[in-house]
Each structure stands twice: as structure tokens, then as C-alpha cells.
Amino acid sequence: MSHETLTVRLGERSYPIHIGPSLGGLIRSDLAVLASSKRPVAVVADFNLSVAQPALLSETFAGLPSLVLPSGEATKCVERLGEIWRFLAQNRLDRGGVVVALGGGVTGDLAGFAAASHLRGVDLLQVPTTLLSMVDSSVGGKTGINLPEGKNLVGAFHQPQAVYADTSLLATLPPREFAAGMAEVLKYGLLADGNLFAQLERDPVNSHTHPALPALIRRCCEIKAAVVAEDERETAAEGGRALLNLGHTFGHAVEAVAGYGDYLHGEAVGLGLVLAARLSQELGFIGAAEVDRTRAAVAAHHLPVRLRKPLPVNKLLDVMARDKKVRQGRLRFVTMSSLGVAQTTSGVEPTLVEKLWREAGAE
């Protein structure tokens, strides 16, 4: 079957996103080109992926040194980063070398940061294997790790040379992970495409067999590619790449306070989208009907709309104060002026944020 290719347009650093089923042949062909140029390649892979798709490592990446890391958000840490650095050094990955990130968002972010920093930067290929990483994290060049103090507080911008979104791999993705990926699809509808959001309202996508899924993946990549091309390093004073963080200021706080791994990233983002809608309502941007629609769509995709168990509100607020979008000590959120149009909003009062957390089940 054929695949589609989009381009992230960044001048001389532009790169393709290949989307479609059974991309193993394409990947092997591209690896053969690297081998003919005597460029060393090393693979960093996710454990669950290696178990669910053993042929991917044994056939597509046969003969290449590979490091398989434990699955889950807790792997995105300083210690595992050091493990990858040593793996790359031991396998003599020189400045012509290429790191392959084979897994979901955790693997892509972690291996991407290792590639950005090994020998001050080597090339990277992203092979996302979860829905969330296909529609979001593998595209755009953000890499990084978590600290106990907060999510993604250390990292680098490091664009890949190519992204291979092989939709066949979604057949073995657990339902909970699939739902987590749909949180990012909902996010794209809410921030940039009201028609996409309305489509998901009418016809929730809860399986890899849903006929609309390939087009959804392509649309999300189109939106992200356009935003990244305009504001690659998130330097726009308002709007820009920061809009891609709709729901994430709330969601990252949930992940950090609950303990990395208690909530999947997409689950925390799903809850964050509901809270972002409520914040938008409180600020007078949207009405109660839009909040209800957001909440219903999140729930229809099997994502949480409230905290599963109470979390301390003071800790949630403390983590938010260290969020990357904070400017001059002031909280900065992504809000919605309508379903499908997002904006950045500064100067939100902490008392209002506390009120929303308590509504969501914090204490």
C-alpha cells in the first residue's frame, strides 16, 4: 500500500513525514543509503514495542546496535539519558552517526535529546510507534527529559532528518495508549480546526481500525508542521508554537504531582483540555455550552475529565509556577476564544486556577 509524505518546511533543515501502513521497506531503503555512506546507526527502542513488534527490531533494524529501555514516563530521566550517552559512545557513533528513536513519545523525547547532545549533535530519525507520538511528539524537534520538579524542564530543539509514522504498528497498541493519543488529536481540533473537533464529537475514534484515522494523523501533522515552520523555537510573544500546549500546563502538573506514569501523558492532557475550557469560560472567552462539548468529547474518547483521586492543590500550583511558559513570574495559559481557535493568555490569577483545580477534585 502507498504512503503519504508531508514536509516540515524549515529551509535547509526541512524534512519529510511519511505516513502510512507497512513502512518497513522504506525505512530499510533509507538505512541502506546511510550504510553505503559508512554512517553508523544506533537504535534506542521501547521495551513494550520490542515485545509487541519483535520483527521491527529483528528485520527492519537487523544488525544495528540497539538499546531497549523500560516503557513509561519514568524513563524520561537524567539516569536513562546517561545510559544512552554511554551506549552511543560504546558503539563509536561519530559525528556522521544517526540515532533512531523507535517508540512512543518517551523514547522520542529521550533519544532525541541524546542525539542533540551526543558530540554536540548527531542526526536523528523518528519512528513513532504510538498514536500520540505519530500525531504530535515526533514532529517539531522538541526533545527533553523530566525532573522531579517538573515535566520537560531540560531539553533541546533538535529536528529529525525524517519521521516514519507506520500506522500498521497501531494494531498492537493497548486501548489505553490509543485513547491517550486521541487526546492530542482532540487538542489539535480545539486549537486550530473546529471542523476536526466537530467530526470527533459526531464520530469518536476509539480503535486503530477506524477508517478516519489515517486522515486524522495527516491533519494533525499538517497543523503542527505549519505552526513549527512559523515559530520553531517558541519565541513568538503571543500565540505561535505555545498554542500547541493547549491543556498541557494543567496536564503536566497532574503528571508531576501524581508521579510520572500514574497518568499517561495523553490522559493528563485530556483532563487539561477540560480545565483549559473552564478557564476560557471563566475569562469570558467561551460559554458553558462549549465547555460541555469539550468535556463530552474528552469523555467519549475514554479520557479522564476529573482527577481520579485528590491531589494537593498547593503542589499542583507549585509545579505550574515552574512551567516553561511562565514569563516574569506570571502564569501564562493557552485558552480558547472558540472551539477551534486558541490564544495565549497571561496574568491569570492563581486564585482562579486554584478554584478550577478544586472543581476537578484537588484538595
Side-chain angles (χ1 to χ4, degrees):
M1 293 179 67
S2 63
H3 69 276
E4 293 186 89
T5 300
L6 302 174
T7 301
V8 180
R9 301 196 180 281
L10 293 168
E12 62 184 20
R13 291 177 298 105
S14 297
Y15 57 91
I17 308 170
H18 305 292
I19 305 168
S22 305
L23 297 183
L26 174 64
I27 296 171
R28 284 192 295 274
S29 173
D30 289 353
L31 289 174
V33 173
L34 295 174
S36 69
S37 302
K38 302 289 193 289
R39 297 185 65 187
V41 178
V43 181
V44 179
D46 170 83
F47 173 78
N48 284 351
L49 182 277
S50 71
V51 172
Q53 300 277 352
L56 196 59
L57 269 175
S58 64
E59 295 174 13
T60 302
F61 299 98
L64 296 177
S66 59
L67 176 65
V68 178
L69 293 177
S71 302
E73 194 71 32
T75 291
K76 245 175 78 171
C77 64
V78 173
E79 291 75 19
R80 295 295 182 187
L81 177 64
E83 196 175 332
I84 299 175
W85 280 334
R86 294 194 63 203
F87 162 71
L88 298 179
Q90 288 162 1
N91 283 281
R92 300 182 181 180
L93 205 79
D94 61 25
R95 285 188 169 165
V98 181
V99 174
V100 177
L102 180 63
V106 167
T107 306
D109 283 4
L110 178 60
F113 188 29
S117 46
H118 176 68
L119 301 178
R120 298 187 179 89
V122 297
D123 283 351
L124 171 70
L125 298 177
Q126 288 275 11
V127 185
T129 62
T130 65
L131 178 58
L132 189 147
S133 56
M134 288 182 191
V135 301
D136 189 70
S137 61
S138 68
V139 177
K142 276 190 175 180
T143 71
I145 59 172
N146 304 326
L147 300 177
E149 290 76 14
K151 175 133 175 162
N152 294 337
L153 289 183
V154 181
F157 288 98
H158 191 62
Q159 300 292 345
Q161 298 300 298
V163 179
Y164 304 86
D166 187 339
T167 54
S168 306
L169 301 176
L170 298 177
T172 56
L173 191 66
R176 188 179 168 195
E177 291 276 2
F178 187 89
M182 285 307 299
E184 296 285 359
V185 180
L186 286 163
K187 177 198 79 174
Y188 280 109
L190 287 168
L191 76 90
D193 190 339
N195 290 332
L196 169 60
F197 179 74
Q199 176 186 336
L200 296 172
E201 285 184 289
R202 290 191 305 269
D203 186 14
V205 176
N206 289 311
S207 165
H208 74 278
T209 61
H210 195 291
L213 188 60
L216 290 178
I217 295 172
R218 179 188 172 97
R219 181 63 185 132
C220 292
C221 288
E222 283 176 344
I223 294 169
K224 184 158 191 180
V227 172
V228 170
E230 289 293 317
D231 183 26
E232 181 184 0
R233 293 178 175 264
E234 205 169 308
T235 54
E238 298 296 336
R241 188 166 182 162
L243 298 180
L244 299 173
N245 286 303
L246 180 65
H248 284 58
T249 304
F250 291 105
H252 286 169
V254 170
E255 290 182 88
V257 176
Y260 295 118
D262 194 23
Y263 286 77
L264 296 177
H265 174 64
E267 291 172 335
V269 168
L271 171 56
L273 293 174
V274 176
L275 286 164
R278 275 288 294 121
L279 176 61
S280 303
Q281 179 193 13
E282 288 285 335
L283 296 173
F285 300 141
I286 63 174
E290 286 80 9
V291 176
D292 290 343
R293 286 175 62 191
T294 303
R295 185 180 289 111
V298 169
H301 287 87
H302 309 309
L303 294 161
V305 296
R306 288 177 55 80
L307 291 169
R308 295 189 187 118
K309 57 186 179 183
L311 295 175
V313 72
N314 61 317
K315 290 188 177 179
L316 291 163
L317 292 170
D318 186 50
V319 168
M320 293 175 101
R322 289 193 290 269
D323 184 82
K324 299 188 303 300
K325 291 179 296 302
V326 168
R327 294 287 186 276
Q328 297 171 334
R330 303 181 77 192
L331 286 174
R332 188 163 166 256
F333 289 87
V334 184
T335 56
M336 290 176 279
S337 56
S338 64
L339 301 189
V341 180
Q343 64 205 356
T344 48
T345 302
S346 300
V348 176
E349 291 297 328
T351 52
L352 173 55
V353 181
E354 179 178 345
K355 171 188 171 182
L356 299 179
W357 277 125
R358 293 191 184 281
E359 274 183 16
E363 62 181 18

